[in-house]
Amino acid sequence: MALPRSADAGGAEPVAHSPLVRGSRGWHAAYRRVVRDAFATVPLYRERWALDGRTDPVLVPGRTGHDGGAIGHGEATRRIPDLVPIGGGSAEPDPLRGLGSVLPRLDAGGLVVVLDGTGARPPADLREGLRGCVLDPNRLTTDHTGALAEINGRLRRRTTVLAVGTDKDLARLAEALEDDTLQVLPTRELSDLGSAGLLHDPLLGFLGNVGDCGRWHVDRRHVYVRETAAGLAFTVLGKASPRLVDILVGDGVPGTVARCPRHATPVLKT
Ligand SMILES: [Zn+2]
């Protein structure tokens, strides 16, 4: 979802209690819209927040809930049908959601290879001119020989191929190729961020990346994050289904949301 143009024009309102984050007014407003809409239309949040309450925003006066109203990752995963809005929508999470907006700029004609063994669909949001595919890292040499041949051909012609996956799966792919010029970008879990890669969660998709400043930036056009007593809670902005609001990625990883001193946009620390 693209925020309205005015989203980047603010900057005065604190976000996650951190001052002077660029665009924070629009970012925070987008989050509050998602929360209010989820409370009105999505069964799990209606049930949880009506009974227990939540903070920021408080939806039922006097009820501020536990952990600010954040939802455990395990519970959200178990209750996907209750994350579908009452009006209907998909009950199938997209583990590759948001990939396009966390990738670095790639040459037109480049190929993005995602290593995923969960049956994910190919990435739907890559920039124009890029192609994407998903390979099951457990079946590279059995089911994907055609794809491996294409990747080898591209690498021989020095066309960009970027592979995204866990360190282990990237090593498997590299081993199955003839050429060693494959570009790789590892996925990272919130609980083990390290210093490079893409922050990924199988339920919420891609949540952020490392900026040229070396800090972990949130994909603020599509994702909101806030600190709660139980850990960092992430929200996918917009109205996609299943609706993912205030989910404790990693089932509760303590961390902070601050302002990047170089980019003035939100960064994470765990
Ligand atoms: Zn930065």
Side-chain angles (χ1 to χ4, degrees):
M1 183 203 76
L3 292 179
R5 216 168 250 289
S6 61
D8 282 324
E13 186 176 288
V15 164
H17 315 296
S18 303
L20 299 173
V21 175
R22 187 151 56 94
S24 67
R25 191 190 299 272
W27 193 47
H28 196 63
Y31 165 72
R32 292 171 72 92
R33 277 197 301 276
V34 170
V35 169
R36 290 188 184 283
D37 187 72
F39 186 55
T41 64
V42 184
L44 176 62
Y45 307 115
R46 282 164 69 98
E47 166 197 317
R48 173 64 53 84
W49 296 334
L51 293 172
D52 194 37
R54 54 161 290 127
T55 54
D56 188 34
V58 173
L59 296 171
V60 182
R63 291 190 183 162
T64 52
H66 296 101
D67 303 331
I71 313 280
H73 192 277
E75 182 180 8
T77 304
R78 281 191 303 277
R79 297 192 56 187
I80 299 275
D82 293 328
L83 298 179
V84 176
I86 290 164
S90 170
E92 217 182 303
D94 177 6
L96 305 192
R97 186 212 59 77
L99 175 62
S101 56
V102 295
L103 287 179
R105 283 215 171 275
L106 297 172
D107 294 338
L111 175 67
V112 178
V113 178
V114 183
L115 298 167
D116 180 292
T118 67
R121 293 182 302 275
D125 65 346
L126 298 181
R127 288 189 193 101
E128 213 181 307
L130 297 179
R131 276 184 52 212
C133 68
V134 179
L135 304 185
D136 182 340
N138 302 306
R139 313 182 75 86
L140 287 176
T141 52
T142 50
D143 295 9
H144 297 312
T145 49
L148 292 182
E150 186 186 339
I151 295 169
N152 278 323
R154 283 172 164 262
L155 293 176
R156 273 196 300 274
R157 296 191 300 275
R158 297 289 178 253
T159 312
T160 301
V161 181
L162 173 71
V164 174
T166 63
D167 284 325
K168 187 176 149 207
D169 292 341
L170 291 171
R172 279 171 159 177
L173 176 62
E175 223 166 82
L177 296 173
E178 296 162 3
D179 200 299
D180 60 1
T181 57
L182 178 74
Q183 296 179 36
V184 298
L185 200 46
T187 53
R188 299 288 182 218
E189 293 176 18
L190 184 63
S191 56
D192 185 21
L193 280 179
S195 58
L198 304 176
L199 173 55
H200 181 250
D201 175 80
L203 181 61
L204 285 82
F206 288 88
L207 302 171
N209 57 12
V210 177
D212 53 11
C213 55
R215 297 177 184 83
W216 279 97
H217 276 261
V218 184
D219 175 13
R220 68 195 173 114
R221 286 176 54 221
H222 304 101
V223 174
Y224 185 89
V225 59
R226 68 177 179 128
E227 299 167 16
T228 74
L232 292 174
F234 289 76
T235 294
V236 176
L237 298 173
K239 293 197 170 188
S241 179
R243 200 72 59 84
L244 298 160
V245 185
D246 275 335
I247 310 292
L248 294 165
V249 168
D251 250 338
V253 176
T256 53
V257 183
R259 168 190 184 268
C260 175
R262 192 187 305 174
H263 297 104
T265 50
V267 288
L268 294 177
K269 226 180 187 176
T270 58

